[in-house]
Amino acid sequence: MNRREFVKFGGVAAVELSAARLLMSQSQPSMPGMQSAQTPQENSKADFTLRIAPVTVELTPTRILSTIGYNGTSPGPVLRMKEGKPVTVDVINDTDVPELVHWHGLFIPADVDGVEEENTPMVPPHGHIRYQFTPRPAGTRWYHTHTMAGSDLHRGAYTGQFGFLMIESANNPGNYDREVFLALREWEPFFNPEGEDDDDSTNAGPQPERPKTLDTSTPGLEVGYQMFSINDKAMGAGEPIRVQQGQKVLMHLLNASASMNRRIALPGHKFKIIAMDGNAVPTPQSVDVIYIGPGERVDAIVEMNQPGVWILGTDTDEERNGGMGILIEYANQHKQPQWVAPAKSAVWDYTIFGHAGSQPPPDSTIDMIFQKIPSGAGLFNSWTVNGKEYPHDQEFILKQGARYRLVFRNRSEDDHPLHMHRHSFELVEINGKATSGILKDTVIIPGYGRVSVDMVADQPGLTLFHCHIQQHMDYGFKALFRYS
Ligand SMILES: [Cu+2]
């Protein structure tokens, strides 16, 4: 932001917070004579600037929507940072509501994590904040708003405030010819009575957490969507991914949805999964289908060895035809784009990408039981962690240096993508199957399923844990971990 743009916000005061890690300024029209000690333009220029403001997204030439985005677009720009090299990011909020930018998957202090529950300061309406942190670990991360939405479907993750954040390591093997960024996205949300939640897997696997008697009271609302895209274009409206036979394309897949788990396929091709949530997997494997929940990332290499024009997209027909797809076009091929539904047997199993062995017992085990409290028609359901909605007072206390086993017990039929802030965890068990070596920050717990993860408490500070489905998080499905 230049001086002229900045001055237009009115008298500006800046305060320093948390050992100069964070600089916040706020327009204060009631104090016209006030001189600010330090205004952003007097600091060195930030390495990155994100401006939060209304944007238009042209999904197709005739479907142009309005939302909130970053730097005039949604998704925001792909940010590239070097692992271990400190950065400054100026976030300018041109909207009328307080905002937050969360750096998903980074090991950074709570006061710059971009989370209200962790006491990160909000970016005030028409104000400015400077984040300063050292990005790590390397890999595919992303940034997005972390505000609550509640029943306002024009806030939080329902807006277009998201983008890729690549933390580059000094040693990138670069075993590919090109890379593409693919963010899965729904638009124009509306309240949807439950029962049409057809994107969650009908979990055919073991259901160790299924209660003997199911709660049959009337469930509440979920969220449905009218439009779909990959990045900012509905299928067919944007440029295809143009490829040559023999190329290896590295696909960075991000589910930037507020609430929908997705199954993604590319007929005629296989995805060789090399990383999940930005972390290299111990055992790369080729699969036909990727199942990815809100917040998750999958890095896959696709070898282009099936000339033609193909559709990469969600296997839900209505939503793929509604836009959630992108064309893969080989050179000199102009056929009708082909879609072939993946086999029903193509299930997603995290454990095939891990080592077979078990992890030794942890220092301590924390059981977490997740349940839905049906709200009845016309309201969002509530969610509990160990029988209580957020907040949990002093229930989840970590001792620095200890290794914890978190046992996630999903006593609901929905698949929940659970996210731990500021840490990664290692998958150690899924529905009774042991695994090791897979590091993630977000993991889908299948309906009535159980997932155990090991986490070393090595990032002191408040740490939010939550379901990445916005309306689940907003209605109780979160917990704050503290260090003793
Ligand atoms: Cu959830």
Side-chain angles (χ1 to χ4, degrees):
M1 162 190 304
N2 63 35
R3 174 177 284 270
R4 198 175 19 248
E5 285 174 298
F6 198 80
V7 164
K8 132 183 125 189
F9 293 131
V12 174
V15 288
E16 278 191 64
L17 291 168
S18 339
R21 258 206 294 266
L22 235 150
L23 244 178
M24 181 172 70
S25 69
Q26 187 164 14
S27 45
Q28 295 184 317
S30 60
M31 290 185 279
M34 187 171 170
Q35 291 294 311
S36 60
Q38 196 179 23
T39 52
Q41 69 270 26
E42 283 157 8
N43 294 320
S44 56
K45 188 179 181 302
D47 300 307
F48 300 91
T49 301
L50 289 178
R51 181 183 289 270
I52 304 167
V55 298
T56 53
V57 181
E58 190 186 300
L59 294 180
T60 75
T62 56
R63 293 194 302 180
I64 303 169
L65 59 90
S66 169
T67 183
I68 308 294
Y70 293 124
N71 296 2
T73 64
S74 176
V78 176
L79 303 182
R80 290 182 184 272
M81 300 177 179
K82 287 205 164 54
E83 184 182 27
K85 181 171 182 263
V87 293
T88 50
V89 186
D90 279 344
V91 179
I92 301 154
N93 181 2
D94 280 354
T95 74
D96 296 331
V97 291
E99 267 300 343
L100 288 160
V101 180
H102 166 53
W103 314 95
H104 185 128
L106 270 64
F107 303 158
I108 54 175
D111 57 5
V112 288
D113 193 38
V115 177
E116 191 175 9
E117 294 85 345
E118 295 175 357
N119 298 330
T120 311
M122 307 287 285
V123 192
H126 303 287
H128 162 278
I129 210 165
R130 175 168 283 192
Y131 291 86
Q132 212 163 333
F133 57 84
T134 301
R136 68 185 186 93
T140 306
R141 316 289 163 208
W142 68 299
Y143 61 101
H144 61 87
T145 178
H146 214 286
T147 52
M148 303 253 294
S151 59
D152 182 350
L153 302 187
H154 296 92
R155 284 224 71 195
Y158 303 115
T159 71
Q161 294 173 75
F162 64 93
F164 279 94
L165 168 57
M166 303 304 291
I167 310 294
E168 295 175 334
S169 111
N171 46 353
N172 178 351
N175 189 22
Y176 52 86
D177 299 301
R178 61 177 294 198
E179 64 182 338
V180 295
F181 294 89
L182 304 171
L184 311 177
R185 200 44 205 190
E186 303 82 10
W187 306 94
E188 305 290 289
F190 61 92
F191 298 108
N192 195 20
E194 215 175 30
E196 299 168 29
D197 209 3
D198 57 1
D199 272 52
D200 278 353
S201 71
T202 42
N203 178 15
Q207 301 190 342
E209 298 297 327
R210 188 183 179 90
K212 287 206 171 61
T213 47
L214 298 180
D215 189 339
T216 53
S217 41
T218 311
L221 296 172
E222 289 290 343
V223 177
Y225 301 88
Q226 303 177 58
M227 299 183 193
F228 307 87
S229 68
I230 291 183
N231 301 330
D232 59 349
K233 293 293 177 206
M235 184 167 69
E239 288 295 303
I241 299 173
R242 294 199 171 85
V243 300
Q244 313 265 357
Q245 187 167 1
Q247 270 185 338
K248 283 184 181 169
V249 177
L250 172 56
M251 296 184 175
H252 300 291
L253 213 62
L254 160 68
N255 186 339
S257 175
S259 61
M260 303 297 283
N261 297 305
R262 288 288 169 197
R263 210 178 304 275
I264 297 294
L266 171 57
H269 300 75
K270 285 191 181 287
F271 300 103
K272 185 179 183 193
I273 309 299
I274 59 167
M276 293 195 290
D277 293 353
N279 309 313
V281 297
T283 315
Q285 298 273 6
S286 292
V287 297
D288 293 319
V289 172
I290 293 171
Y291 188 49
I292 184 170
E296 287 191 297
R297 290 85 67 212
V298 170
D299 292 339
I301 292 200
V302 179
E303 266 197 65
M304 295 298 167
N305 47 21
Q306 200 73 252
V309 181
W310 302 91
I311 293 172
L312 183 163
T314 174
D315 73 342
T316 311
D317 292 342
E318 195 182 331
E319 303 183 347
R320 185 182 62 260
N321 295 330
M324 192 176 282
I326 189 166
L327 305 185
I328 308 283
E329 188 182 295
Y330 282 71
N332 306 314
Q333 299 279 323
H334 304 283
K335 296 178 195 151
Q336 208 39 33
Q338 293 186 70
W339 171 259
V340 183
K344 285 265 182 283
S345 59
V347 293
W348 177 252
D349 176 1
Y350 290 119
T351 66
I352 68 169
F353 309 107
H355 295 304
S358 309
Q359 279 295 357
D363 299 314
S364 185
T365 296
I366 299 175
D367 257 296
M368 301 182 83
I369 295 170
F370 311 115
Q371 282 170 294
K372 172 155 75 179
I373 312 296
S375 62
L379 296 166
F380 279 129
N381 301 304
S382 295
W383 295 87
T384 60
V385 178
N386 292 354
K388 268 194 255 176
E389 284 181 53
Y390 181 88
H392 302 77
D393 192 35
Q394 306 288 331
E395 284 177 55
F396 301 106
I397 308 286
L398 304 172
K399 214 191 301 167
Q400 192 174 347
R403 187 161 58 90
Y404 290 88
R405 182 151 302 165
L406 309 177
V407 184
F408 301 141
R409 300 175 184 275
N410 181 1
R411 303 258 164 96
S412 75
E413 65 191 331
D414 309 311
D415 293 5
H416 299 285
L418 302 187
H419 174 44
M420 183 70 78
H421 279 247
R422 305 176 50 248
H423 298 71
S424 58
F425 48 67
E426 179 178 358
L427 305 190
V428 298
E429 181 244 308
I430 295 182
N431 288 337
K433 190 170 168 191
T435 187
S436 65
I438 301 171
L439 292 172
K440 292 181 68 39
D441 55 55
T442 307
V443 62
I444 298 175
I445 318 300
Y448 299 125
R450 184 181 69 225
V451 173
S452 302
V453 305
D454 280 7
M455 183 175 93
V456 177
D458 56 2
Q459 301 293 330
L462 295 176
T463 299
L464 189 65
F465 165 86
H466 62 91
C467 179
H468 221 282
I469 293 177
Q470 178 87 47
Q471 75 271 23
H472 296 179
M473 173 174 81
D474 288 348
Y475 290 88
F477 204 151
K478 57 184 170 179
L480 200 57
F481 283 71
R482 302 163 197 274
Y483 280 71
S484 57

